[in-house]
Amino acid sequence: MNAVAVIGTGQTNHAKARPDVTQPELIREAVDAALVDAGLTADDIDAVVMSNMEMFEGRALPELWVAEGAYGTGKPVFKIATGGTSGTSACIAGFHQAGSGAFDTVLVVGFEKHSEGHTQTGMALVDPFWDRAVASGALGNFALSISQYMAERGVTEEHAAQVAVKARRNAANNPHAHLQMPDLTIDDVLKSRMLAEPLHLLDMCPQSDGAAAIVVASGDTARKRGPKAAWVHAAATRHDQPYLGDLDRRLITTRALRSAAASAYAQAGITDPLRDFDIAEIYEPASYAELAWYEALEFCDDGEARRLIDDGVTSMDGELPVNPSGGVLSTNPVGASGVIRVAEASLQLLGRAGDRQVAGAKTALATGYGVYAWSDVIVLRSEMP
Amino acid sequence: MADASRQRQRDVAVLGGAETEIVPEDLRSIPEMVLEAVAGALDDAAVQWEDVDAIVTASVDLFDGLTASSIAVTEVVGAVLKPETRIAADGMAAAIHAVHQIAAGAYGTVLVVAHGKASMAPHWDLTEWAMDPVYLQPLGVDFLTVAGLQANLIADSNRVGRCASLGDGACAVVLSSSVPSGAAVITGTGHDLDAHYPGDRDLSTWSGLQRAAGRAYEQAGVRDPATAFAVAEPSCMFPHEEGLFVEATAIGKNTPLSPSGGLMEGTAPIVSGLTRLLAAARAIEGNPGRRALAHGAWGPAGQGHAVAIVEAT
């Protein structure tokens, strides 16, 4: 793929509800921050890619209304909607648009305002013939596959609780994060309300109001602007069969994520992910999912994820800090969450991650995940490809 | 915006395509209906499933009554363990994205699929949910009422009743970086989103289409649109829109519009623009040097526009 780079990022302060702003105003906050970060004005933007899951707000084609929040009026604009991967898929769409020669700079902006809708209702609108009655929503899906995963890979509730604690403690260093819990303990997680065996309340991501934006530049444009950029070295996306019974043991096999990772790693020359990456921002909607992703992303062999979390390999001072931002477990405006992963990975490479900065980060991983149906894997480096 | 040093986008071939017959109600499920279009497109393009590197689909969740409604078609568009990107806009916007993917060097051959079933719910009522919920939706404003405003402004208001009949349908088109001899190629694309509020727009013009067409003309090297095209295939849902289309694209009075029949006899939401691309490519195939203009639109009174220039080789 032709060279492109992320040259600016911006986010809102994410929260359970942002009644102080409308959807376009929420978007404007993130976009203004990204433009300032990139040193550009709205006039410099050639095209806009939006990302949102409109059923969560109970809307249709919301970009028609909210695109002006992204200065989209009179510009090429459309929206990507692919569940949890909407944000990463929109970033990849931005990479393709900026790499196509048609545009020099593309603004990607994802948003969700869960407080204005009913997320569970939105998630329940799956296939009406088979899955709607048994596999609606995130909780039921995860509870089923996590039980299998625990049995096969020797993962316990305590292992998962460590992930939940790591995320919320990391989030305390991120002023944008929704759930900042610097004093959270494993005991707190295990004692939190049981939602669906074995998932406790604090094992799950929240529903957040928030928006995030990145500015993508074509290779030539990024080079002309100077040395600081987060260069895209690989982007891979995979879709999988949707039906519950067709997906062989979901969290254990995670074949869409494994396939996307294999493709991205080959594109970027990643041979030993645990050593080659300096930081990872992965889309973990549940604590257990992060452990499964360690295996699917080849940070370790199958069955070894519990060792990684036990040994602190993925904590801020470990060999590969995973989700210094606090991840999806701390902040989840669905349409924005994938953009946040790419923005946070880029911030690390640009050296602008503040208290959550991993010193000297040069190679970063960002992933997106849409309830078993989609997986995206993106590799970024501070060096040009 | 335009950078003189910007590289010219590489040409992308329209290898083939197919569409289902538009009917008031297609009793098949969404995937069954889509499979007919996809299988037909692969056959027409003479490619196999394994030749397709990536898929771009177009659909709108609320119209389908499904969340992430492209999940319904994963298997029938051949997207299992392949890249699939889903655009929530007219199918022509999805085709333009596929062109960008190919031009960026990400994929060689991309299948574009659009589907819509107007029979599943009163379509115009659903479009009320795409209007701003603060000022417009509470007034009951939908796409039809904005189109009515526009028609009253520029045309005889009694023509408003003549709307394209909406039905169920699917369309699939195969695009590729490898250009067989004689194939139609896309040499320019442009898309645009205008202001949402009717009061913020000049409803007497399709200025968004003017911008979208301008971008496509620049890429394709079209200098005189009035003489450039053997045929134009607009997405006009109402008679008054033809005048808006001709004016915004500057194609003049002599360019034949919709010789294939156009949308008035029947079309499906989201599918229209992709069927226009297919019609435009078919109209010029085998006549080297001939150009056609294809157009898709979405939103109230053409808030969104997408244009592709197709040229026969």
Side-chain angles (χ1 to χ4, degrees):
Chain A
M1 191 183 83
N2 297 337
V4 297
V6 179
I7 60 168
T9 78
Q11 295 178 50
T12 57
N13 286 335
H14 314 296
K16 180 174 182 172
R18 286 288 310 269
D20 57 317
V21 286
T22 64
Q23 292 174 37
E25 288 167 342
L26 184 75
I27 288 164
R28 181 61 65 87
E29 282 184 20
V31 168
D32 278 344
L35 290 173
V36 167
D37 192 45
L40 297 177
T41 67
D43 288 344
D44 298 320
I45 298 297
D46 294 330
V48 181
V49 181
M50 308 201 73
S51 109
N52 166 261
M53 287 304 292
E54 58 202 57
M55 290 298 230
F56 293 160
E57 287 87 6
R59 310 287 313 157
L61 297 163
E63 62 281 6
L64 297 177
W65 166 46
V66 305
E68 71 172 76
Y71 302 102
T73 305
K75 289 183 175 168
V77 181
F78 59 60
K79 183 193 69 192
I80 305 273
T82 58
T85 47
S86 297
T88 41
S89 287
C91 289
I92 293 172
F95 301 159
H96 291 156
Q97 288 195 1
S100 73
F103 308 118
D104 293 327
T105 52
V106 180
L107 176 73
V108 180
V109 55
F111 75 99
E112 208 74 63
K113 211 156 186 279
H114 288 277
S115 70
E116 293 187 0
H118 194 277
T119 305
Q120 176 63 17
T121 300
M123 292 205 69
L125 296 173
V126 292
D127 167 79
F129 302 110
W130 303 103
D131 276 1
R132 191 168 290 185
V134 293
S136 293
L139 276 174
N141 261 306
F142 277 121
L144 271 172
S145 52
I146 285 169
S147 302
Q148 279 180 324
Y149 178 72
M150 293 171 79
E152 181 139 336
R153 298 279 161 82
V155 162
T156 65
E157 289 194 342
E158 286 75 13
H159 291 121
Q162 288 182 68
V163 174
V165 168
K166 171 176 77 67
R168 279 55 175 263
R169 288 191 178 181
N170 285 355
N173 294 322
N174 175 5
H176 299 288
H178 170 181
L179 296 178
Q180 303 180 28
M181 305 165 106
D183 303 318
L184 187 70
T185 66
I186 291 170
D187 210 36
D188 293 337
V189 178
L190 296 177
K191 282 184 176 157
S192 66
R193 185 160 59 95
M194 183 66 82
L195 299 175
E197 179 80 29
L199 284 165
H200 296 269
L201 179 69
L202 289 171
D203 283 312
M204 286 304 295
C205 58
Q207 297 170 9
S208 314
D209 285 4
I214 62 167
V215 179
V216 185
S218 67
D220 284 347
T221 306
R223 269 189 291 269
K224 277 183 215 155
R225 289 174 43 84
K228 280 264 181 189
W231 291 89
V232 178
H233 283 249
T237 178
R238 291 288 183 275
H239 203 166
D240 206 347
Q241 284 161 317
Y243 291 103
L244 187 64
D246 288 343
L247 280 162
D248 180 29
R249 303 191 308 159
R250 305 190 161 201
L251 272 189
I252 297 165
T253 48
T254 52
R255 61 178 197 171
L257 184 58
R258 285 174 197 259
S259 174
S263 168
Y265 292 176
Q267 290 172 45
I270 301 288
T271 53
D272 184 349
L274 191 66
R275 296 182 63 167
D276 292 348
F277 291 119
D278 301 312
I279 173 263
E281 280 286 342
I282 65 178
Y283 195 116
E284 44 24 313
S287 56
Y288 293 88
E290 177 163 323
L291 297 168
W293 298 174
Y294 291 171
E295 295 165 359
L297 292 165
E298 298 174 39
F299 297 169
C300 62
D301 291 336
D302 288 350
E304 291 291 305
R306 55 186 173 169
R307 180 184 59 78
L308 256 55
I309 196 74
D310 272 343
D311 296 350
V313 175
T314 56
S315 60
M316 278 306 284
D317 54 1
E319 185 177 356
L320 174 56
V322 173
N323 293 355
S325 67
V328 176
L329 281 172
S330 303
T331 302
N332 192 30
V334 169
S337 288
V339 182
I340 294 172
R341 304 278 74 68
V342 176
E344 287 288 335
S346 301
L347 276 175
Q348 293 284 348
L349 300 179
L350 294 164
R352 299 177 196 153
D355 291 342
R356 59 196 187 282
Q357 179 71 46
V358 175
K362 289 186 171 60
T363 303
L365 170 71
T367 73
Y369 167 82
V371 188
Y372 304 104
W374 278 282
S375 287
D376 289 341
V377 175
I378 294 165
V379 179
L380 300 155
R381 286 195 177 100
S382 51
E383 278 186 14
M384 276 184 236
Chain B
M1 279 205 354
D3 181 344
S5 67
R6 186 182 289 162
Q7 73 201 63
R8 190 173 185 281
Q9 223 165 280
R10 81 169 88 161
D11 291 345
V12 170
V14 181
L15 289 188
E19 57 194 298
T20 63
E21 188 189 352
I22 304 286
V23 292
E25 183 173 11
D26 194 320
L27 291 171
R28 294 173 294 181
S29 68
I30 293 173
E32 286 170 321
M33 183 179 78
V34 169
L35 180 59
E36 182 197 326
V38 171
L42 296 184
D43 192 39
D44 188 50
V47 298
Q48 310 290 318
W49 292 101
E50 55 267 28
D51 299 326
V52 176
D53 299 316
I55 299 96
V56 182
T57 64
S59 60
V60 173
D61 284 0
L62 196 69
F63 297 173
D64 292 344
L66 293 166
T67 289
S69 68
S70 62
I71 289 176
V73 300
T74 304
E75 288 152 318
V76 296
V77 302
V80 174
L81 294 182
K82 281 193 180 171
E84 193 248 349
T85 306
R86 185 283 193 95
I87 312 286
D90 178 78
M92 178 66 89
I96 290 178
H97 189 59
V99 169
H100 287 150
Q101 291 181 325
I102 292 168
Y107 309 119
T109 299
V110 181
L111 171 70
V112 186
V113 182
H115 57 92
K117 273 192 159 196
S119 70
M120 288 171 61
H123 181 71
W124 299 114
D125 290 355
L126 286 184
T127 65
E128 195 181 301
W129 293 85
M131 302 305 293
D132 147 61
V134 181
Y135 297 108
L136 295 172
Q137 189 182 10
L139 298 174
V141 176
D142 60 23
F143 290 3
L144 190 59
T145 50
V146 186
L149 271 176
Q150 189 164 46
N152 275 295
L153 199 62
I154 62 166
D156 186 358
S157 62
N158 65 13
R159 297 169 75 185
V160 180
R162 268 198 63 207
C163 167
S165 37
L166 288 175
D168 297 354
C171 181
V173 171
V174 182
L175 304 179
S176 180
S177 59
S178 61
V179 182
S181 68
V185 295
I186 297 172
T187 54
T189 62
H191 63 292
D192 189 272
L193 195 66
D194 209 338
H196 181 61
Y197 297 98
D200 288 349
R201 286 171 59 188
D202 178 358
L203 276 180
S204 69
T205 69
W206 266 0
S207 53
L209 175 57
Q210 195 179 346
R211 287 187 293 271
R215 291 174 189 126
Y217 293 167
E218 190 193 337
Q219 277 180 17
V222 171
R223 286 183 184 80
D224 181 12
T227 58
F229 302 109
V231 52
E233 285 287 351
S235 281
C236 292
M237 303 278 287
F238 306 91
H240 73 270
E241 293 183 341
E242 283 197 359
L244 293 168
F245 175 82
V246 170
E247 188 194 335
T249 54
I251 57 167
K253 292 197 166 20
N254 295 326
T255 307
L257 285 184
S258 304
S260 64
L263 302 184
M264 294 306 289
E265 297 310 312
T267 188
I270 303 303
V271 177
S272 312
L274 199 57
T275 67
R276 298 307 85 207
L277 177 63
L278 194 53
R282 285 182 171 156
I284 53 156
E285 268 169 352
N287 296 289
R290 285 212 174 171
R291 280 195 183 115
L293 187 155
H295 165 242
W298 68 100
Q303 191 191 340
H305 289 281
V307 168
I309 312 294
V310 192
E311 200 166 324
T313 59

